């Protein structure tokens, strides 16, 4: 806390001019003479619902603080923010929380009454801009859209894993654009708070608010929204686009994603187990959710839809026909989300499931409930953030799962890790043998000999077929472990190198790097992609 903040907190006015008035009368007096609420949703310094019960700032500089939260960090941070941005803020007046509640109640009504037709027109235009942007992104199969509002606004598309600048606007346009997207979300916090982390979701099946004929593209199922405050700027929005499969008859095709016969056979065996836990790992944006969805659809088809598959997801992203998909709802804070997730998971266990899918194992409590489901006679699938298939066990140990559970091969049925690799354009790719000065040329020669040089390609300059990019989408490379007790014993005992050696030699395992190299030698991906995700081509895989 700096000295100014401390002085303001300690020397706040002790004489409260509103203490003998009812909260409603005091609030009306504060709004008199055109005074407006700067900390309200429409103000210059909006705060979230949890902070509204602590403070209120008006355009004339009047600053009210809950008399029980004088030194709350959120109050002090708000003071610093207002002064930094040149706002007017007087010394605090300490008041009751009931007065603050009345202020925001009246403020919301005033804001709705004073919304002008110009504001409505501007918001409608922003919503149209939003839909136009999504249509443009969907045509390019963009996975994420980044909107960064700083001195100016920059919009980026992530296409096949690479960030590309698309367009720039001024700062005011960006702030209005982000606010409009928040308002258009079907699932979000109740109030937009520019200085707080917030999440939301826009569903493709519903129109934008206030625009009955304004829908997202048909192939966009939903958009995950992450709103972040940003240093040296005001807002950073990331939109994750979730697409419907272009062919409904192909919605269970794992080979289409890039899985080879080897991995496809392993996944079939994992689906066939009546009990136990199977986990898919990989970083954010590695395609885990898509793999999990298709795998669950395939499982239902293989069982003739005669099993009760229940999923618990926060939020549900892809439809799984035949499954009962339970959403995690009515949660805003991380604590509430964890509690709601655990309640939904416990409810699923009481709903007579044959198989279960847990969208993601995030916390120890959700991990323990997932293991409980697997221990109680169900086939359970989930995802986890881990660097490799063997690392899944280490991640669960680190989270606090008992080691004896992780040594049980009848409980740990399958471990899968995957990445998405850029596919070379088959029309303009370049043989690496024509580029002996390429940094990887000698490493390929050392590791794979002349055969490797003959079979390896790098990205070309681009052509009409690929739109000048040199790449045509992305493909999965993966590794699948179906562990036995020896492998699990070695891993849980900290003998990771021995476990990996045992897996690749005694269990005929194949690492992600080996799968990637096979795709490289088939001309599907470049050596640059292999070395980007798997390390140098002439070194052993590192776990």
């Amino acid at each position: 806390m700096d000295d100014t903040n401390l002085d303001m907190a300690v020397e706040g006015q002790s004489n409260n001019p509103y203490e003998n008035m009812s909260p409603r009368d005091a609030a009306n007096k504060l709004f008199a003479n055109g005074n407006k609420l700067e900390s309200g949703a429409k103000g210059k310094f909006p705060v979230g619902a949890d902070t509204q019960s602590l403070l209120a700032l008006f355009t004339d500089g009047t600053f009210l603080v809950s008399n029980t939260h004088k030194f709350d960090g959120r109050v002090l941070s708000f003071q610093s923010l207002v002064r930094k941005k040149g706002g007017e803020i007087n010394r605090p007046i300490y008041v009751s929380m009931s007065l603050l509640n009345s202020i925001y109640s009246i403020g919301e009504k005033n804001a709705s009454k004073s919304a002008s037709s110009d504001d409505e027109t501007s918001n409608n235009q922003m919503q149209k801009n939003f839909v136009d942007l999504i249509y443009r992104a969907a045509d390019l199969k963009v996975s994420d859209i980044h909107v960064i509002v700083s001195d100016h606004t920059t919009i980026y598309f992530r296409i096949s894993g690479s960030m590309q600048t698309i367009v720039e606007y001024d700062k005011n346009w960006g702030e209005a654009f982000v606010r409009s997207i928040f308002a258009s979300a079907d699932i979000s916090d109740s109030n937009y708070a520019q200085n707080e982390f917030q999440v939301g979701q826009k569903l493709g099946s519903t129109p934008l608010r206030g625009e009955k004929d304004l829908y997202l593209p048909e192939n966009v199922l939903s958009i995950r929204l992450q709103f972040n405050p940003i240093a040296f700027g005001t807002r950073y929005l990331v939109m994750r686009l979730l697409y419907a499969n272009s062919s409904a008859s192909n919605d269970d095709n794992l080979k289409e994603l890039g899985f080879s016969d080897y991995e496809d056979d392993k996944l079939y065996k994992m689906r066939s187990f009546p009990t136990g836990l199977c986990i898919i790992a990989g970083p954010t944006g590695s395609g885990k959710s898509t793999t999990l969805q298709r795998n669950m659809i395939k499982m239902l088809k293989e069982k003739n839809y005669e099993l009760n598959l229940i999923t618990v997801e926060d939020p549900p992203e892809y439809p799984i026909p035949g499954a009962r998909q339970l959403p995690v709802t009515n949660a805003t804070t991380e604590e509430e989300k964890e509690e709601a997730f655990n309640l939904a998971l416990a409810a699923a266990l009481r709903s007579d499931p044959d198989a279960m899918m847990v969208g993601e194992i995030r916390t120890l409590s959700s991990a323990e409930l997932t293991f409980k489901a697997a221990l109680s006679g169900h086939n359970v699938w989930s995802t986890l953030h881990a660097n490799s298939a063997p690392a899944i066990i280490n991640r669960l140990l680190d989270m606090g799962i008992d080691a004896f559970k992780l040594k049980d091969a009848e409980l740990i049925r399958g471990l899968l890790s995957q990445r998405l690799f850029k596919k070379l354009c088959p029309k303009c790719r370049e043989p690496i043998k024509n580029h002996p000065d390429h940094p990887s040329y000698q490493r390929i020669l050392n590791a794979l000999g002349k055969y490797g040089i003959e079979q390896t390609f790098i990205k070309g300059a681009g052509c009409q077929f690929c739109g000048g990019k040199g790449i045509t989408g992305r493909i999965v490379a993966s590794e699948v472990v179906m562990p036995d007790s020896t492998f699990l014993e070695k891993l849980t005992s900290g003998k990771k190198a021995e476990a990996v050696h045992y897996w690749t030699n005694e269990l005929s395992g194949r690492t992600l790097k080996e799968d990637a190299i096979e795709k490289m030698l088939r001309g599907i991906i470049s050596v640059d992609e292999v070395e980007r995700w798997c390390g140098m081509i002439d070194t052993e895989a590192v776990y």
Side-chain angles (χ1 to χ4, degrees):
M1 185 193 314
D2 62 33
D3 293 340
T4 308
N5 272 348
L6 184 59
D7 290 344
M8 291 181 75
V10 174
E11 297 177 16
Q13 297 177 19
S14 57
N15 181 23
N16 176 2
Y18 312 106
E19 58 187 353
N20 295 321
M21 302 172 66
S22 71
R24 178 64 58 177
D25 289 342
N28 284 325
K29 183 177 180 179
L30 283 160
F31 279 105
N33 301 319
N35 210 14
K36 296 181 180 179
L37 189 60
E38 293 286 57
S39 54
K42 300 293 185 180
K44 293 181 180 178
F45 307 100
V47 298
D50 60 333
T51 307
Q52 290 178 0
S53 60
L54 309 184
L55 59 87
L57 176 67
F58 287 83
T59 49
D60 66 355
T62 300
F63 182 44
L64 308 180
V65 175
S66 165
N67 50 28
T68 57
H69 292 82
K70 296 180 181 181
F71 300 102
D72 192 290
R74 287 167 289 182
V75 174
L76 302 177
S77 296
F78 179 81
Q79 291 172 301
S80 296
L81 173 70
V82 174
R83 291 201 316 277
K84 180 180 177 181
K85 292 186 175 293
E88 183 178 355
I89 183 168
N90 299 333
R91 295 191 181 281
I93 299 172
Y94 299 116
V95 299
S96 67
M97 293 181 76
S98 59
L99 173 54
L100 291 168
N101 291 334
S102 294
I103 287 169
Y104 283 99
S105 176
I106 293 174
E108 285 183 13
K109 292 179 181 178
N110 290 346
S112 62
K113 289 179 182 178
S114 63
S116 67
S117 60
D118 288 342
D119 290 337
E120 291 177 3
T121 301
S122 174
N123 185 57
N124 291 345
Q125 183 58 49
M126 285 298 173
Q127 291 191 342
K128 291 174 182 175
N129 290 341
F130 170 50
V131 171
D132 288 343
L133 183 69
I134 300 304
Y135 267 91
R136 183 177 177 185
D139 286 342
L140 297 171
K141 280 293 183 180
V142 169
S143 61
D144 301 87
I145 302 172
H146 295 242
V147 182
I148 301 174
V149 184
S150 185
D151 295 333
H152 58 280
T153 301
T154 308
I155 297 179
Y156 299 88
F157 283 176
R158 186 180 289 279
I159 305 173
S160 298
S162 298
M163 296 278 282
Q164 298 181 20
T165 305
I166 299 301
V167 69
E168 291 188 351
Y169 295 98
D170 62 34
K171 176 181 178 181
N172 292 336
W173 184 94
E175 291 182 344
F177 182 66
V178 172
R179 280 177 179 272
S180 177
I181 293 174
F182 183 89
S184 300
D186 298 297
I187 302 170
S188 68
D189 297 338
S190 56
N191 293 307
Y192 179 72
Q194 184 169 288
N195 305 305
E196 298 183 13
F197 295 97
Q198 296 182 292
V199 297
Q201 185 179 27
K202 178 72 193 88
L203 305 176
S205 57
T206 61
L208 271 69
R209 295 181 182 175
E211 296 287 341
K212 63 180 181 180
D213 297 323
L214 209 54
Y215 284 84
L216 299 180
E218 289 185 0
N219 63 330
V220 176
L221 288 172
S222 65
I223 304 174
R224 284 195 324 222
L225 306 169
Q226 176 64 50
F227 300 84
N228 305 309
I230 186 173
F232 313 111
T234 59
R235 209 58 165 155
Y236 174 32
L237 166 65
V238 181
M239 297 182 270
R240 167 65 58 86
L241 276 63
L242 304 171
Y243 294 97
N245 188 19
S246 58
S247 171
S249 63
N250 218 24
D251 58 5
D252 65 339
N253 192 331
L254 290 164
K255 288 186 178 180
E256 182 188 60
L257 300 178
F259 290 97
S260 67
D261 290 339
Y262 175 88
E263 283 79 24
D264 194 45
D265 179 65
K266 295 287 186 184
L267 284 166
Y268 170 75
K269 291 176 181 176
M270 288 159 61
R271 291 192 300 273
S272 300
F273 289 119
T275 63
L277 178 61
C278 301
I279 298 178
I280 301 173
T284 301
S286 60
K288 300 187 298 296
S289 296
T290 302
T291 297
L292 190 58
Q293 177 224 20
R294 292 200 180 191
N295 206 62
M296 295 299 94
I297 293 173
K298 203 169 186 69
M299 174 191 286
L300 285 165
K301 288 184 177 180
E302 289 167 348
K303 305 294 184 182
N304 296 315
Y305 297 94
E306 293 176 353
L307 80 167
N308 184 24
L309 171 62
I310 299 179
T311 79
V312 177
E313 303 168 78
D314 177 24
E317 295 179 344
Y318 295 106
I320 302 175
R324 265 54 72 183
Q325 296 180 256
L326 307 186
V328 176
T329 58
N330 301 322
T332 53
T333 67
E334 286 302 316
E335 293 78 10
E336 289 175 348
K337 285 179 181 179
E338 180 179 352
E339 182 180 359
F341 193 87
N342 292 339
L343 286 173
L345 194 48
L349 282 168
R350 296 192 299 269
S351 300
D352 187 31
D354 297 304
M356 288 179 58
M357 186 196 98
V358 180
E360 181 182 345
I361 297 174
R362 297 178 179 176
T363 63
L364 175 59
S365 55
S366 64
E368 288 175 336
L369 281 170
T370 302
F371 270 79
K372 180 180 178 181
L375 283 165
S376 58
H378 305 102
N379 184 304
V380 182
W381 290 73
S382 188
T383 68
L384 184 73
H385 287 285
N387 292 328
S388 66
I392 294 172
I393 299 298
N394 298 91
R395 179 82 177 88
L396 291 169
L397 276 172
D398 185 61
M399 291 177 73
I401 295 297
D402 296 322
F404 75 87
K405 295 178 183 175
L406 300 175
K407 295 178 182 180
D408 186 352
E410 293 186 359
L411 176 60
I412 308 297
R413 292 295 197 178
L415 311 170
L416 183 149
S417 178
Q418 67 178 61
R419 301 287 190 280
L420 291 176
F421 291 71
K422 297 175 186 176
K423 293 169 61 178
L424 289 171
C425 173
K427 304 293 185 181
C428 64
R429 64 187 182 183
E430 293 278 341
I432 199 170
K433 66 181 180 181
N434 297 342
H435 299 271
D437 57 341
H438 190 280
S440 302
Y441 184 94
Q442 190 59 46
R443 290 194 291 272
I444 293 173
L445 191 61
N446 294 340
L448 304 171
K450 291 184 178 180
Y451 173 79
I453 295 295
E454 290 290 331
Q455 295 295 119
T456 300
F457 294 82
I458 59 175
K459 188 174 77 169
C463 64
Q464 186 176 0
F465 181 79
C466 63
K469 299 189 296 287
I471 56 175
T472 57
R474 291 189 290 176
I475 189 171
V476 165
S478 64
E479 59 187 15
V480 183
V481 183
M482 293 182 62
D484 63 7
S485 56
T486 301
F487 173 82
L488 294 172
E489 176 67 38
K490 290 179 183 294
L491 263 187
T492 53
S493 300
K495 301 174 183 177
K496 196 170 186 180
E498 288 186 23
V500 171
H501 183 270
Y502 174 81
W503 164 49
T504 55
N505 287 273
E506 302 300 324
L507 300 181
S508 302
R510 187 169 78 159
T511 67
L512 183 145
K513 186 173 185 177
E514 289 171 332
D515 186 25
I517 289 175
E518 179 190 312
K519 288 178 170 62
M520 180 191 78
L521 295 176
R522 290 166 56 197
I524 298 173
I525 64 177
S526 72
V527 63
D528 302 288
E529 279 292 279
V530 176
E531 295 197 327
R532 174 192 178 199
W533 290 112
C534 306
M536 297 300 180
I537 203 83
D538 57 351
T539 60
E540 294 293 327
V542 178
Y543 289 99

